Amino acid sequence: MKLTIDRVIPNFGPDKVDIFFNCESGNSSLDALRDCYRRYGAVACYFGSGFEAAEKAFTLHYDKHKVTRNVDRFNGVNFALESDLPEDVVKVEAYSEAAKVIRHLLAAGEVGILNSKLVVKDSKFSGSVFLHQDSSYQVGSDNITCFFLLSDLQKDPLRESTIRALAGTHSFGHLGDVGEIDRTILDENWPEIEFCYPKFTYVFMNPHLWHFSNSGELGSNVRGIYAFTCHGLSVLSTRTPGSKELLPLNKLNTGKVFNRSRVSRLIELQKQVDKITVSE
């Protein structure tokens, strides 16, 4: 028997899930945002413009590296990791209204950053990203995956390649692997959330929510998203929001916890396969 959406989200009504809140006026209830996040696994907040410095910094960074960058074969959307992030992009983590939402969702006084990166789809990589949850790539618990949209994803062809999530699937919890969930266990008409929102929208997502993206012919268009993971400030935190200054390093926040992890082992095996293929 397939799992029905009504079992996951009791009294589920409309087929289309609306998680978007226009918070520009500042009148949005934090409790309403939290209830949406808990029910569907994500909430999107638009606080207005005023992020032009971040947009400009991203554009300059992208123009500098778009030709020379190597596409990560294991994650084609990776563009820039911690040390290379432009400061004006990092500052969006500390925007006061977004920070209020994050603290409310986490029920935390102080917030720390676990990791962050720029993710891009463009002419070099416009392929699909398999259905996955982020918790398998993170350490600790009670994290939030935050997406800050640097491109307007309402318009085609960017809309076609935007992130899509399966509503309510965060309630399945951590399933123990970084594999792809078998969608045949779900109703065929399981509702999807499309993160096709205006640029400068923040999307706050439970890392257990299953999500993916389709491929698309982007041409000269670029889909830019700044992704950062928040949690209550702890020994796992690498830095505080908006700051590039690292907190005291330890084995936990540098990810040096294991001698070998599942992911590192898979990469090792892939290298062996590649070497054999080349020799043949």
Side-chain angles (χ1 to χ4, degrees), residues 170-188:
H170 64 297
S171 64
F172 301 168
H174 179 62
L175 299 186
D177 203 343
V178 292
E180 181 172 359
I181 193 172
D182 183 357
R183 288 194 66 165
T184 63
I185 68 175
L186 308 176
D187 263 350
E188 292 179 4

Side-chain angles (χ1 to χ4, degrees), residues 17 27 82-83 110-111 134 146 176 202 260:
V17 181
N27 295 326
E82 298 281 357
S83 60
E110 292 186 84
V111 173
D134 289 348
C146 307
Y202 286 81
R260 173 177 285 172

Side-chain angles (χ1 to χ4, degrees), residues 17 19 23 29 44 49 88-89 127 131 134 158 181 199 207 239 243:
V17 181
I19 66 165
C23 305
S29 163
S49 56
D88 282 327
V89 172
L131 185 61
D134 289 348
L158 294 181
I181 193 172
K199 66 180 178 181
R239 52 187 178 78
S243 172

